Amino acid sequence: MDDATARKQLEKMLADLDRSIGVLQGDPVAIREHSAADAGSDLTDADRAQAMLTVATAQRRAVIEALKRVDEGTYGRCVDCGKPVPEGRLEARPEAARCVECQGRQERRR
Ligand SMILES: [Zn+2]
C-alpha cells in the first residue's frame, strides 16, 4: 500500500473515530437520562459506552501514530523489528504498527 492510499484510509478512520468519540463522549443524552431516571440499575449502558470510548480512544491514538509514520516515511515498517509489515495486514488494519510476530509478542506480554 503506498503512502497516499494509507494516509487517505487513516484520515478516514480518524474522522470516523472522532465522530464516534464525539457521540460517546459529548452527547450521550439517552444514556444520561436513562441513568438519571434509574440510577444504579442502569450502569451497564454507561459502562458499555465507556468501554467503547476506551477502545475508540486507543484506536484513535494508533491511527495518529500511523499518520505520523506516514509523515516520517516509516509507514509500513514494524516499529519493533523494522521489517515490512505484510500488505494484507495493513489492508485489514491500516493503523497496525507491528508485524504479526512482534504484535504477538506484545500481546503475550500484557
Ligand atoms: Zn516486527
Side-chain angles (χ1 to χ4, degrees):
M1 177 156 35
D2 62 86
D3 282 3
T5 310
R7 184 189 297 276
K8 213 184 292 168
Q9 287 204 15
L10 288 163
E11 279 172 353
K12 187 183 177 305
M13 287 176 76
L14 189 60
D16 287 347
L17 283 165
D18 276 344
R19 204 163 32 233
S20 311
I21 290 169
V23 169
L24 287 167
Q25 200 169 49
D27 195 27
V29 175
I31 295 165
R32 211 180 303 130
E33 281 178 352
H34 210 47
S35 307
D38 192 10
S41 71
D42 200 37
L43 271 174
T44 43
D45 273 357
D47 282 350
R48 206 174 305 133
Q50 187 59 49
M52 282 164 68
L53 192 58
T54 304
V55 171
T57 306
Q59 203 184 3
R60 184 177 188 276
R61 207 176 304 135
V63 170
I64 288 172
E65 290 297 313
L67 278 168
K68 223 180 283 175
R69 291 196 298 279
V70 175
D71 285 338
E72 288 165 358
T74 59
Y75 180 78
R77 286 189 177 276
C78 174
V79 295
D80 282 352
C81 68
K83 277 190 267 184
V85 178
E87 192 83 351
R89 177 166 169 74
L90 287 175
E91 272 164 20
R93 297 194 50 194
E95 81 283 20
R98 292 178 178 83
C99 67
V100 181
E101 270 169 58
C102 292
Q103 187 64 43
R105 239 191 314 261
Q106 179 84 2
E107 273 161 18
R108 270 197 299 279
R109 212 182 293 151
R110 258 178 234 154

